[in-house]
Amino acid sequence: MKSNLLKYTLSLAFLISTMLIAISVGSVSVPIPEIIQIIGSEVFHLPLGDHVDPKFISIVYDIRLPRVILAGLVGASLAIAGAAFQGLLRNPLADPYILGVSSGASVGAVSTLFFNISIPFLGMYTLPFLSILSALATIMIVLFFAKKIDKTMRVESIILTGIIFSSFLGSIISLIIALTGEELQQIIGWLLGSVSMRGWKYVGIILPFLIIGGLLLLMNTRELNAMSFGEERAQHLGVDVEKRKMLILAAGSILTGAAVAVSGTIGFVGLVIPHLTRKLWGPDHIHLLPLSIITGAGFLILTDLLSRTIISPQVLPVGVITALVGAPVFAMILIKQKKAKGR
């Protein structure tokens, strides 16, 4: 019990500290005590001290707070989706980016932007809805072709199929970019991954999908524990493997599609964070999934802070930073797996 309390305390401390630092640091530095007062005033209607500079209120509440919250929600979505995919496929290399789910979501989102699609009854949710549909269709197609290639559906076959489809979908995106006129800058900037200048509207777009997808996965933590030992053993333990597998894949696609819709393609968060969390706190999905949510949120807030300060006043796309961190981790896990198999 104490061990679990320590896990969550340290993870929440990491998240809260990264949030406060990210809101504080920028072209105009805002003291942390004043940030706490401003948030308390705006959210809980607490009295605001006379010493608080009025310009800080706009900087914190209208610019930095929504950016930080959005980064946290995107990081949380990608991290829990990655943790679920890794548990389901029993491989630490599985994540939405490598399996092609992110690329599928990107095709749906880019097509929506390119053709200016708007579904009347969905309104601002058109983009995440079509992005999620594309993500779900992609993972279904990847699994279909993986089964055609290898009837036993080994994890290596699924990952290889995902990489192939990711490359194919990337070429479709390149074709759309080549045909794009005025929207070129918008689409390219979006593809590189960013949470800059999104505002509260985008927080409202991703939040319901994070709640739905996150709850679906958290309701399947025991099943993920059982399936991590193999599908046959899970069936002997009474798990309806096919039903749970589809549910987990659908929930992961919802989370990935919504994250891609609001922030573009941000790779490797779903690979790095579950791997790190598993190393630190253990493989039990009952705790791995919620801890991945917290750590993933803090990680993307931190990388977004780096992206806007590392070469200030220029801003790097946050997807560039996550790729710089994630690619070496991917290589390290791959080498470790090969060594383990060679023994």
Side-chain angles (χ1 to χ4, degrees):
M1 190 72 174
K2 281 185 179 180
S3 175
N4 289 335
L5 183 62
L6 180 65
K7 295 175 189 178
Y8 287 98
T9 302
L10 290 176
S11 298
L12 285 168
F14 168 67
L15 174 58
I16 293 166
S17 60
T18 53
M19 286 183 72
L20 290 172
I21 292 165
I23 296 169
S24 174
V25 175
S27 55
V28 176
S29 181
V30 182
I32 287 175
E34 297 199 14
I35 292 169
I36 295 167
Q37 283 194 55
I38 291 166
I39 294 172
S41 172
E42 294 289 340
V43 177
F44 302 108
H45 306 291
L46 298 174
L48 190 63
D50 295 334
H51 65 282
V52 176
D53 192 327
K55 72 177 180 183
F56 287 165
I57 298 171
S58 179
I59 290 170
V60 169
Y61 195 73
D62 297 328
I63 300 171
R64 291 188 192 163
L65 184 60
R67 178 172 182 158
V68 165
I69 290 175
L70 183 62
L73 295 177
V74 170
S77 299
L78 294 174
I80 189 177
F85 285 153
Q86 288 173 16
L88 182 66
L89 298 174
R90 304 185 302 284
N91 194 305
L93 291 175
D95 93 316
Y97 188 72
I98 292 160
L99 291 174
V101 182
S102 292
S103 296
S106 296
V107 169
V110 168
S111 301
T112 304
L113 294 171
F114 180 70
F115 294 108
N116 199 23
I117 300 169
S118 179
I119 301 171
F121 62 89
L122 288 176
M124 70 178 186
Y125 291 103
T126 299
L127 183 61
F129 177 75
L130 294 178
S131 185
I132 288 164
L133 277 185
S134 298
L136 195 54
T138 301
I139 193 66
M140 293 296 117
I141 293 167
V142 165
L143 291 174
F144 174 78
F145 275 93
K147 196 166 187 178
K148 288 286 182 185
I149 294 165
D150 178 5
K151 290 195 183 296
T152 59
M153 285 190 69
R154 286 177 299 176
V155 174
E156 291 85 352
S157 301
I158 295 171
I159 290 172
L160 181 60
T161 309
I163 291 168
I164 292 166
F165 268 88
S166 187
S167 300
F168 171 70
L169 294 168
S171 66
I172 293 175
I173 293 168
S174 298
L175 176 63
I176 293 172
I177 289 171
L179 297 171
T180 303
E182 295 176 2
E183 300 92 352
L184 180 64
Q185 192 65 39
Q186 179 194 3
I187 288 176
I188 289 177
W190 177 87
L191 279 172
L192 290 170
S194 175
V195 290
S196 174
M197 303 305 291
R198 297 294 200 264
W200 289 109
K201 176 186 172 183
Y202 283 80
V203 173
I205 288 173
I206 190 176
L207 187 58
F209 296 105
L210 172 57
I211 292 168
I212 293 165
L215 284 175
L216 284 173
L217 291 181
L218 291 171
M219 286 164 60
N220 284 279
T221 51
R222 295 185 188 279
E223 287 76 10
L224 276 167
N225 279 343
M227 285 190 277
S228 65
F229 294 105
E231 293 183 8
E232 284 187 17
R233 189 165 178 182
Q235 281 180 328
H236 288 310
L237 292 170
V239 176
D240 187 341
V241 172
E242 288 304 312
K243 179 184 173 183
R244 295 293 175 173
K245 189 191 289 183
M246 290 300 110
L247 194 62
I248 290 163
L249 290 171
S253 298
I254 288 169
L255 291 160
T256 305
V260 168
V262 299
S263 66
T265 308
I266 298 175
F268 295 107
V269 177
L271 173 79
V272 173
I273 296 306
H275 182 70
L276 178 65
T277 308
R278 196 180 293 106
K279 285 282 183 188
L280 285 173
W281 309 123
D284 184 355
H285 288 88
I286 293 170
H287 299 295
L288 177 63
L289 294 193
L291 287 167
S292 292
I293 289 176
I294 299 166
T295 312
F299 172 76
L300 203 63
I301 291 168
L302 189 60
T303 49
D304 179 55
L305 174 62
L306 285 173
S307 75
R308 62 183 171 87
T309 56
I310 200 166
I311 55 168
S312 182
Q314 296 294 316
V315 178
L316 281 172
V318 70
V320 172
I321 305 289
T322 59
L324 287 171
V325 174
V329 173
F330 178 84
M332 183 184 70
I333 298 169
L334 187 60
I335 291 165
K336 193 175 177 182
Q337 280 193 331
K338 289 292 180 186
K339 282 184 179 178
K341 284 183 180 178
R343 283 174 188 165

